[in-house]
Amino acid sequence: LPSGEEAVGEAGGDGPVVTASAGNAGLGIAWAASVLGVHAQVVVPETASPAKVEAAVAAVLDRYTSALEQRDMSALKAVWPSLAGAQQSAIESEFGNARSISVQFINPKIVVTGSMATITGVRRYGMQTRDGQQLRTETTTTLMLRQQGNGWHIESVRHQAR
């Protein structure tokens, strides 16, 4: 079996990559795809253990933070298909004004109930603007996810000042 990076590389490096796994192979492919900036969807069987379902939800969080850091709206929309309107415009504007973005999600708490999941934690967000300013925020952030088909997608993201 190829490693996650080999599997993603065999897909042409551009993705998207789709795999079915309730184990480490899927996690490896999701990790490699996020490192390489390629969209990956890991389909987890409904009979997967709670720990594996939680890992699949955590992989969505990794793809979300990676998309923000890469300022990649297509990758962000892949994990957050309902992103639209003023919220999408604000993010696009921020991407356009940023020289770089860094995102850390501290101590995420994942709760999965059936086809819904919630991730709550502290999001540290840093941006260097095109004119060199350093902006930093720290918010309590909640992501609501829904299992759609065989994958997980973000339905909403809410930030609260700390």
Side-chain angles (χ1 to χ4, degrees), residues 105-117:
F105 214 93
I106 311 301
N107 297 324
K109 180 181 177 192
I110 298 172
V111 176
V112 179
T113 307
S115 64
M116 299 296 294

Side-chain angles (χ1 to χ4, degrees), residues 53-148:
V53 172
E54 192 172 305
V57 170
V60 173
L61 177 61
D62 290 342
R63 290 174 39 214
Y64 165 75
T65 58
S66 177
L68 290 173
E69 290 181 333
Q70 293 174 23
R71 296 173 285 152
D72 184 340
M73 186 55 69
S74 295
L76 191 57
K77 291 282 288 184
V79 295
W80 188 2
S82 63
L83 175 63
Q87 196 169 25
Q88 180 175 337
S89 295
I91 293 170
E92 287 171 337
S93 176
E94 197 156 287
F95 284 0
N97 291 324
R99 182 178 296 160
S100 66
I101 293 175
S102 64
V103 182
Q104 290 181 304
F105 214 93
I106 311 301
N107 297 324
K109 180 181 177 192
I110 298 172
V111 176
V112 179
T113 307
S115 64
M116 299 296 294
T118 304
I119 305 172
T120 306
V122 174
R123 186 183 86 155
R124 291 187 182 147
Y125 187 86
M127 179 174 77
Q128 181 177 19
T129 63
R130 296 211 178 272
D131 62 2
Q133 294 181 48
Q134 294 286 340
L135 307 174
R136 302 209 181 280
T137 61
E138 190 170 289
T139 59
T140 300
T141 300
T142 302
L143 286 78
M144 300 297 296
L145 291 82
R146 178 182 300 276
Q147 188 173 27
Q148 297 173 326

Side-chain angles (χ1 to χ4, degrees), residues 1-4 19-31 42:
L1 288 174
S3 69
T19 187
S21 172
N24 292 334
L27 291 174
I29 288 174
W31 173 83
V42 179

Side-chain angles (χ1 to χ4, degrees), residues 5 8 36 47 83 92 126 128 161:
E5 274 192 77
V8 172
L36 297 172
T47 58
L83 175 63
E92 287 171 337
Q128 181 177 19

